[in-house]
Amino acid sequence: MLDGKPLVRVEELQVEFQTHDGPVTGVESLSFDIRPGECLCVVGESGSGKSVSSLSLMRLVEFGGGEIARGRLLFQRERGEVDLAKAPPATMRDIRGNEIAMIFQEPMTALNPVFTVGEQLSEGLIVHRGLSRRDAMARALELLREVRIPEPERRLHQYPHELSGGMRQRVVIAMAMACRPKLLICDEPTTALDVTIQAEILALIDRLKRETGMAVLFITHDMAVVAQMADRVVVMFRGNKVEEGPVEQIFEAPREPYTRALLAAVPRLGEMAGRDAPEPMRLMREGQAARPEPVVPRAPEPLLEVKNLCTRFPVKGGILRRTVAQVHAVEDVSFTVHAGETLSLVGESGCGKSTTGRSILRLVEPSAGQVGLGGRDLLALDARGLRQARRDMQMIFQDPFASLDPQMRLLDQIEEPMLNYGIGNRAERRDRIAQLFDRVELPRSFMRRYPHEMSGGQRQRIAIARALALNPKLIVADEAVSALDVSVQAQVLNLLMELQRDLGIAMLFISHDMAVVERVSHHVAVMYLGRIVEIGSRRQVFENPQHSYTRQLMAAVPVADPRRRKISEDLRFRPIPSPIHPVGHAPPPSTYAEVAPGHLVLTDPVTHG
């Protein structure tokens, strides 16, 4: 439905923020246009001005301390063209959520915690479309089904805090699409979503674009998503547009060095084919000439042994809040991680990946099973024994800002675990901290800074340095790079692999990004509904996937090649069954077929496939 007349024209946009040191320019002289039925992707790293430009179109940048200093934002309405930069507040209220809608990256900032999902979905329909409350709630239910939320009738009456991160994001997407807007602005809408949910949401946005002629402004740092979605691409760097062109041209013949460096940092599914060991990525900015050295463990001995691990959470109900059912989050999980090797756990939200990692560290208490670390049974330890065992196992969380204390200097946060275990004197600890800053490639001058003074990638490096402070034998990395820009992600992944090669650390790597998992793993376990459905070496699982669910996960991964777009009709995912069972329910044990030495596939018929 592309026609000659643009729906949106941005001309010489300049956005400034007032600070104590004077005005700071967030976006400078930015121009582009979007036609009906077209998807324009804006790409770049954090701080490049991607989100500021989209917030300017909604005039929301003014609520965050920004000011449109100059430029025109021309939007084609039925009554004629309007300059959004100068439109009165009443006009903007009529446009926002109705003709222009936005999907935000962080769903909890876009959802009101005191209203139910149904109330928030129906609000825009009542205000902009004049529907009755009953009709609006019926439409809200349809929207939840469209974005593939399980048990939508129940979710309609729940509050945002009762939903997982992935579900909250799908609610935000449903809210944005409720009024069928002319322009949909997507600001990193699938960053927190699993690969299968992401594939379906992208297919849904693409279908709406084709069927309704809706224009899409898609902001992302995921170049594979760009290849799947974009008609045209704008590349931004430090507030400026550095390159613009059709998606094929940007991927196949990029003119600017920055664009080439951005593309070089993208892990691509299949590029590790034929290699047994993980190896760091070649980053153009580092000027690497030789191929990076593979991560081969020196003497791989079993370090972490997990046997028949089960973790269940009670579901309370009734006036007396009795346990009426149980969530079978982790069910009969067994695997071994060797010293110096990485085992990756992959699967969708709610499959039990993170709960497995937390159960191993006893951040949540398992219901049954055995967890051995270096010969010690962690589940049999008392509080004192567990405290000592925790020296050998550390965790890197998904959100470094939430795991760092905003009121403590970085120096003190890394010193804290050493103080807790009485390691060294003050001078020795400071020397160790300085070495850790060198290891994670941060200037020693940053030691006296606070977390808010660092970028997302730098904060994640601090989280890694803190995890290394006690010289652990095992690190559990829970979605440790999922929120990072593609180039920062590549640097952090390379850092983790280099540290593993140098220090012999074992790693349990939890992720939903299959291309990242292929890059870093020695072994891979695919989880579905609390169970491991397939486990083997990285080559076995990626080059010869046997379970139907593993094959579907692979099929859903977006490929960073605009000529190999996935067709939405090819992706047929069944609704995930509920993991909630009555009290006393005894699921059958997991049984596996060995299709090759070390390559096991679940044969239990109760699960997927």
Side-chain angles (χ1 to χ4, degrees), residues 115-396:
F115 290 107
T116 65
V117 165
E119 287 168 334
Q120 297 189 58
L121 278 169
S122 59
E123 183 185 20
L125 294 162
I126 294 167
V127 171
H128 294 300
R129 291 288 186 259
L131 298 186
S132 68
R133 179 174 163 75
R134 184 176 177 179
D135 290 344
M137 289 297 273
R139 174 76 183 119
L141 190 61
E142 283 177 37
L143 287 163
L144 291 182
R145 287 197 181 105
E146 279 185 20
V147 295
R148 195 177 164 247
I149 283 190
E151 303 174 274
E153 294 85 358
R154 185 162 150 252
R155 307 296 179 202
L156 212 56
H157 304 289
Q158 288 185 312
Y159 291 88
H161 73 269
E162 296 179 88
L163 305 181
S164 71
M167 279 191 199
R168 286 198 289 260
Q169 188 63 295
R170 282 177 268 170
V171 169
V172 172
I173 291 167
M175 281 172 64
M177 296 191 298
C179 294
R180 295 290 188 253
K182 288 184 179 179
L183 173 65
L184 182 65
I185 301 172
C186 307
D187 187 2
E188 304 274 10
T190 59
T191 299
L193 299 183
D194 306 310
V195 66
T196 51
I197 308 293
Q198 172 180 270
E200 292 195 343
I201 294 298
L202 295 180
L204 177 62
I205 293 170
D206 191 57
R207 193 185 78 226
L208 285 170
K209 183 190 81 167
R210 285 185 278 109
E211 290 177 358
T212 68
M214 177 179 73
V216 179
L217 176 62
F218 206 102
I219 292 155
T220 184
H221 61 249
D222 189 331
M223 298 302 284
V225 169
V226 172
Q228 298 299 304
M229 293 295 291
D231 296 304
R232 286 187 303 119
V233 181
V234 169
V235 183
M236 292 189 70
F237 179 63
R238 292 183 183 169
N240 292 280
K241 180 174 76 174
V242 296
E243 190 163 353
E244 180 180 4
V247 63
E248 291 87 359
Q249 179 192 313
I250 294 293
F251 274 80
E252 292 167 13
R255 297 190 305 271
E256 296 297 319
Y258 176 72
T259 311
R260 291 197 290 271
L262 210 57
L263 289 165
V266 180
R268 297 168 194 253
L269 196 66
E271 67 184 356
M272 294 293 290
R275 304 179 202 175
D276 290 313
E279 60 183 54
M281 297 177 72
R282 287 182 63 180
L283 300 180
M284 291 180 67
R285 288 190 203 174
E286 294 176 6
Q288 293 175 343
R291 185 167 138 181
E293 191 182 328
V295 184
V296 180
R298 293 171 192 146
E301 298 174 352
L303 176 72
L304 175 69
E305 295 181 273
V306 178
K307 293 179 182 174
N308 311 113
L309 183 69
C310 293
T311 302
R312 296 168 187 169
F313 300 107
V315 178
K316 306 285 187 180
I319 298 170
L320 301 176
R321 306 298 293 160
R322 288 182 175 145
T323 300
V324 295
Q326 287 187 316
V327 179
H328 290 238
V330 178
E331 197 61 54
D332 200 18
V333 163
S334 301
F335 57 80
T336 300
V337 184
H338 292 80
E341 290 190 349
T342 297
L343 170 73
S344 289
L345 291 179
V346 298
E348 293 175 276
S349 281
C351 73
K353 313 184 295 290
S354 294
T355 306
T356 300
R358 289 164 187 264
S359 299
I360 288 165
L361 300 185
R362 279 185 63 184
L363 298 176
V364 298
E365 285 297 330
S367 309
Q370 292 177 286
V371 178
L373 182 70
R376 284 180 296 185
D377 183 359
L378 297 182
L379 304 192
L381 296 175
D382 58 14
R384 189 173 179 181
L386 182 61
R387 187 178 185 277
Q388 287 305 313
R390 287 223 165 107
R391 283 189 66 165
D392 293 334
M393 50 186 187
Q394 292 292 310
M395 191 160 191
I396 303 168

Side-chain angles (χ1 to χ4, degrees), residues 360-562:
I360 288 165
L361 300 185
R362 279 185 63 184
L363 298 176
V364 298
E365 285 297 330
S367 309
Q370 292 177 286
V371 178
L373 182 70
R376 284 180 296 185
D377 183 359
L378 297 182
L379 304 192
L381 296 175
D382 58 14
R384 189 173 179 181
L386 182 61
R387 187 178 185 277
Q388 287 305 313
R390 287 223 165 107
R391 283 189 66 165
D392 293 334
M393 50 186 187
Q394 292 292 310
M395 191 160 191
I396 303 168
F397 295 92
Q398 178 174 357
D399 183 356
F401 199 67
S403 64
L404 296 172
D405 188 327
Q407 296 180 312
M408 286 177 70
R409 296 178 304 172
L410 303 176
L411 168 79
D412 299 325
Q413 302 210 38
I414 296 174
E415 186 180 26
E416 190 175 31
M418 292 189 270
L419 275 171
N420 286 344
Y421 286 94
I423 295 172
N425 57 37
R426 183 182 174 85
E428 288 167 346
R429 287 195 299 269
R430 292 297 161 98
D431 187 47
R432 168 94 176 124
I433 294 164
Q435 290 173 12
L436 286 168
F437 266 75
D438 295 343
R439 286 244 56 146
V440 298
E441 296 171 15
L442 285 176
R444 293 186 179 189
S445 59
F446 282 17
M447 286 163 63
R448 300 190 182 279
R449 290 193 180 186
Y450 290 87
H452 72 271
E453 299 177 90
M454 314 288 281
S455 71
Q458 289 169 336
R459 284 198 289 262
Q460 197 60 292
R461 287 169 185 266
I462 292 297
I464 292 168
R466 188 176 58 181
L468 293 172
L470 298 176
N471 283 325
K473 296 174 182 174
L474 171 73
I475 286 181
V476 177
D478 187 3
E479 300 280 11
V481 296
S482 65
L484 303 181
D485 293 321
V486 63
S487 55
V488 179
Q489 173 183 276
Q491 291 164 12
V492 171
L493 289 174
N494 282 3
L495 172 65
L496 286 171
M497 285 187 270
E498 285 160 14
L499 290 169
Q500 184 176 48
R501 188 175 57 217
D502 296 346
L503 305 176
I505 298 168
M507 194 151 52
L508 185 65
F509 192 87
I510 298 164
S511 179
H512 61 251
D513 189 325
M514 301 297 280
V516 166
V517 165
E518 186 188 34
R519 170 60 67 173
V520 304
S521 308
H522 294 86
H523 296 88
V524 175
V526 181
M527 289 191 73
Y528 175 80
L529 209 61
R531 294 179 189 255
I532 290 176
V533 297
E534 185 163 358
I535 187 168
S537 71
R538 196 252 318 138
R539 281 190 70 177
Q540 287 172 332
V541 173
F542 275 81
E543 296 177 26
N544 186 27
Q546 293 292 307
H547 199 276
S548 60
Y549 179 67
T550 311
R551 289 196 289 267
Q552 286 196 351
L553 271 183
M554 302 288 188
V557 178
V559 181
D561 182 350

